[in-house]
Amino acid sequence: MIRLGEGGLMDNLRNDMAQILFEEDEIQARVHELGAQITKDYADKNLLVVGILKGAIVFLADLLRSIDLKLRLDFMAVSSYGDAVESSGVVRILKDLEQSLEGKDVLIVEDIVDSGLTLKYLVQNLSSRRPNSLRVCTFLSKPARRVTDVQVDYVGFEIPDQFVVGYGLDYAERYRNLPYIGVLKQELIEG
Ligand code: IMP
Ligand code: MG
C-alpha cells in the first residue's frame, strides 16, 4: 500500500503545520472504537445519522463504515463561523434535512464542539421535530471553550484550546483534506 504521508506526497500541507495532534492511524483506531460502540448502542434502534456539513464529512465517511447497522443518512448545513476562528453565536440553516425525524433514533455527527453554540441550536431545533431519541457524536471537543451547557454522548478526542485543522476541519475553507489533525503555523493565521 502506498502511504501518502510518508512518501513526501503530502508534505506541501504538512509544512504548514506547527504541530500534529493526531496522526492518521491513531484517528482511524479511535473512529473504529466509536463505530463499534454506536453499533452496540443502536442494535435494536431505528438509527438516522445526521451529518453536519461541511466539517463532519471526513469523520462521517470513516465512522459510517465502522457502524454495522442498517442506518439511514441525512445532512444539514449550518453557518456559524464564516471565515473567522471565533463563533458568532448566530446560527443559520443553509441546508435542511430531507427526511422526517418522527420515530427515528437520531445521531448528530459533528466535527468539533467548541463554544457549543452551534450544537445547542441544532439539538433544540431537531428535538422539536419529535425524534424517538436524539444524541450527539463529535470527533473533537474543546471543553475549556464551552459557553453553554450541551450534552455530547460520543467524543473522539478532547483537545485543549487550540485552533486545529484537518480531517474535515478548515481554516478559511482550506486544509479539510488532511488525513491528520494539526495546528497551523501562527504566521498563516490572519489578524
Ligand atoms: P461552536 O458553535 O463554537 O461550538 O463551533 C462549532 C463550529 O466551529 C465547528 O463545527 C467548526 O466548523 C468551527 N470550529 C470550532 N473550532 C474549530 C477549530 O479548532 N478548527 C476549525 N473549525 C473550528
Ligand atoms: Mg468551519
Side-chain angles (χ1 to χ4, degrees):
M1 186 176 139
I2 298 169
R3 304 269 309 189
L4 291 176
E6 289 162 15
L9 287 172
M10 289 290 267
D11 281 357
N12 275 338
L13 292 168
R14 199 173 269 260
N15 284 337
D16 287 359
M17 301 300 130
Q19 192 194 342
I20 309 289
L21 290 190
F22 305 106
E23 290 283 5
E24 187 171 2
D25 44 3
E26 193 181 352
I27 292 173
Q28 293 301 324
R30 181 67 188 125
V31 173
H32 286 303
E33 282 177 6
L34 287 173
Q37 187 62 50
I38 291 165
T39 302
K40 268 194 201 150
D41 295 352
Y42 286 85
D44 50 3
K45 302 249 157 75
N46 187 13
L47 177 58
L48 170 67
V49 173
V50 171
I52 309 303
L53 299 172
K54 296 176 259 189
I57 64 150
V58 179
F59 172 46
L60 184 67
D62 285 339
L63 183 69
L64 285 175
R65 289 175 291 175
S66 299
I67 303 176
D68 189 15
L69 295 172
K70 282 188 208 166
L71 57 81
R72 292 187 179 87
L73 175 63
D74 210 335
F75 291 100
M76 241 175 130
V78 295
S79 82
S80 55
Y81 261 55
D83 271 359
V85 295
E86 282 290 323
S87 187
S88 61
V90 179
V91 180
R92 202 156 51 96
I93 295 183
L94 304 177
K95 184 219 172 290
D96 208 341
L97 298 173
E98 289 170 8
Q99 38 201 299
S100 146
L101 300 190
E102 264 176 81
K104 312 249 171 77
D105 293 292
V106 176
L107 182 63
I108 298 174
V109 175
E110 260 282 27
D111 54 355
I112 186 164
V113 182
D114 186 36
S115 70
L117 292 166
T118 307
L119 186 58
K120 180 108 185 173
Y121 171 85
L122 282 169
V123 167
Q124 275 169 357
N125 185 293
L126 297 191
S127 350
S128 73
R129 306 186 197 189
R130 305 177 169 280
N132 191 45
S133 67
L134 181 61
R135 284 187 180 174
V136 176
C137 174
T138 185
F139 178 60
L140 297 177
S141 173
K142 292 185 201 170
R145 296 260 307 168
R146 219 51 54 78
V147 302
T148 180
D149 204 24
V150 63
Q151 189 180 325
V152 184
D153 304 280
Y154 304 93
V155 179
F157 300 101
E158 289 195 343
I159 60 169
D161 181 7
Q162 266 179 316
F163 192 83
V164 296
V165 294
Y167 204 61
L169 290 135
D170 70 304
Y171 170 65
E173 293 301 328
R174 301 287 169 86
Y175 303 105
R176 293 192 196 274
N177 54 319
L178 302 177
Y180 48 83
I181 289 285
V183 178
L184 269 182
K185 286 180 178 163
Q186 194 54 44
E187 70 254 33
L188 294 171
I189 298 177
E190 285 167 35

